[in-house]
Amino acid sequence: MALAVCLLLDPDTDHAVRRLWSGLEAAGIPTLLTHTHRRHVPHVSYAVLRTFDEDRVAAAVDSLPDGPPLALRFDTVGLFPRGRAALLPAVTPALLARQEAVVEAVTGTGADLHWHYRPGRWVPHCSLTTGTSQDLLPTAAVHAFDVLPLEGRAVRAALIDSGTGRHVPLPNLP
């Protein structure tokens, strides 16, 4: 089980990603739509924590300043090890600064941050597939390029338990 601090997308962008997930599923490519608990939502994770005190993490993130909606422009597809594909947003100074602030806040609670989310290593992404055969990844990319570029905004944030899909909305948008 892990806990993620996630940016959630505006309704139109959320719907576009869900349509893409559905199209990939129809092509025989498993997505987050059918992965594990089937409660996944389109998101971009600022931080994924392996060990944590959820109350302390929530308080730390709540203490960060509330920011305006964050513009996201997904222009490309990233392919990662173990059959993972994702939409990649342009990396902006605002996105990096906000992620670094979240990481500093949550690690200040003693939480163990997954190394992929350390500043300088983090690749912001919106997951499409997990555990897909490498033979299907090019097909997944072709489907994704049918919807790119995709412009949207992060308008909310939540803590998401990866094991159950439970969402805890955050009162601010760090």
Side-chain angles (χ1 to χ4, degrees), residues 52-173:
F52 51 88
D53 176 314
E54 186 174 321
D55 292 335
R56 290 183 70 197
V57 168
V61 177
D62 287 350
S63 72
L64 294 171
D66 189 17
L70 186 62
L72 296 172
R73 180 179 166 93
F74 297 95
D75 280 313
T76 193
V77 177
L79 302 179
F80 299 94
R82 296 185 309 279
R84 297 172 187 262
L87 300 177
L88 303 182
V91 178
T92 64
L95 180 60
L96 288 176
R98 290 168 100 164
Q99 189 261 350
E100 288 178 9
V102 168
V103 165
E104 184 175 330
V106 299
T107 57
T109 70
D112 178 28
L113 180 72
H114 189 287
W115 73 276
H116 285 296
Y117 292 84
R118 292 182 185 150
R121 292 184 183 258
W122 178 59
V123 176
H125 63 279
C126 180
S127 294
L128 299 175
T129 68
T130 61
T132 300
S133 76
Q134 290 186 358
D135 294 345
L136 291 176
L137 287 175
T139 303
V142 167
H143 280 270
F145 280 115
D146 285 343
V147 302
L148 295 178
L150 177 61
E151 293 193 37
R153 295 177 305 133
V155 294
R156 297 176 289 124
L159 298 179
I160 299 180
D161 180 320
S162 67
T164 65
R166 181 176 60 88
H167 294 67
V168 178
L170 294 169
N172 61 354
L173 181 63

